[in-house]
Amino acid sequence: MIEQKKSATKLDAIEAIKSIKGFVCSSQLNAIGHACRGEEKQFFFDKMVEVFETVKGMPVTYEQDGKGENAIAYLHYFKGNYDAYITEKDIEDEQLQARGWSKFYGNNFEDGYISLVELIDSQIELDLHFTPISIHELKKTFQ
């Protein structure tokens, strides 16, 4: 028997958005806010709760240490020819930086710390349709 997933409520979505604010740029939050009032609002209610659950369950700094390309990327940010894949959130409550891999078009992947503050300030969007994947498998998609 397939278990039916419970639909998120507007209140669930609001609480999720408050919790992930440090991971989403203001223009994207604004667009999501408008979408939560539109005819596809249930999709966005559910999506915000899903993103919150992903962020909540992510490993914190050093929990994937030593895994290299076997580390799982949980979040994907993109803008133009730039992609950032977050593998670990900051151990602190306030999310200022994260561990992950970044790629500029035409360049190789680089691992290191990524400033979430700079991503957000630069209006780099969080990919709401990204499915967690290992860096190794991710790199195959760019070949």
Side-chain angles (χ1 to χ4, degrees):
M1 184 171 147
I2 297 174
E3 188 176 318
Q4 188 73 18
K5 193 174 176 181
K6 180 185 160 209
S7 294
T9 65
K10 181 178 181 178
L11 185 57
D12 294 334
I14 290 168
E15 290 302 313
I17 289 169
K18 286 179 187 176
S19 296
I20 62 171
K21 220 175 196 173
F23 290 91
V24 185
C25 68
S26 60
S27 62
Q28 190 173 19
L29 280 174
N30 189 36
I32 290 167
H34 286 292
C36 284
R37 293 186 290 277
E39 64 183 52
E40 294 184 7
K41 62 185 173 189
Q42 189 59 56
F43 170 82
F44 286 95
F45 291 171
D46 294 339
K47 184 55 72 175
M48 291 303 91
V49 171
E50 178 186 320
V51 171
F52 164 74
E53 291 295 332
T54 297
V55 169
K56 184 173 104 176
M58 282 176 61
V60 295
T61 308
Y62 305 121
E63 284 188 346
Q64 293 201 75
D65 194 30
K67 289 188 176 182
E69 291 185 8
N70 291 319
I72 303 297
Y74 290 89
L75 301 175
H76 171 227
Y77 290 88
F78 64 96
K79 184 174 186 177
N81 63 355
Y82 175 74
D83 291 280
Y85 299 91
I86 306 301
T87 57
E88 298 172 341
K89 62 185 175 184
D90 201 336
I91 201 165
E92 303 295 328
D93 288 337
E94 185 178 16
Q95 296 298 307
L96 301 177
Q97 67 179 359
R99 184 91 178 138
W101 295 69
S102 58
K103 180 175 184 12
F104 284 98
Y105 181 77
N107 293 337
N108 293 326
F109 279 87
E110 294 183 18
D111 69 328
Y113 287 96
I114 298 169
S115 171
L116 291 174
V117 173
E118 288 180 17
L119 289 178
I120 302 309
D121 287 349
S122 299
Q123 300 298 306
I124 297 177
E125 288 191 39
L126 177 63
D127 182 349
L128 299 178
H129 301 287
F130 183 72
T131 301
I133 185 173
S134 73
I135 296 298
H136 174 75
E137 290 298 316
L138 181 66
K139 282 183 166 185
K140 288 181 182 179
T141 67
F142 283 91
Q143 296 175 350

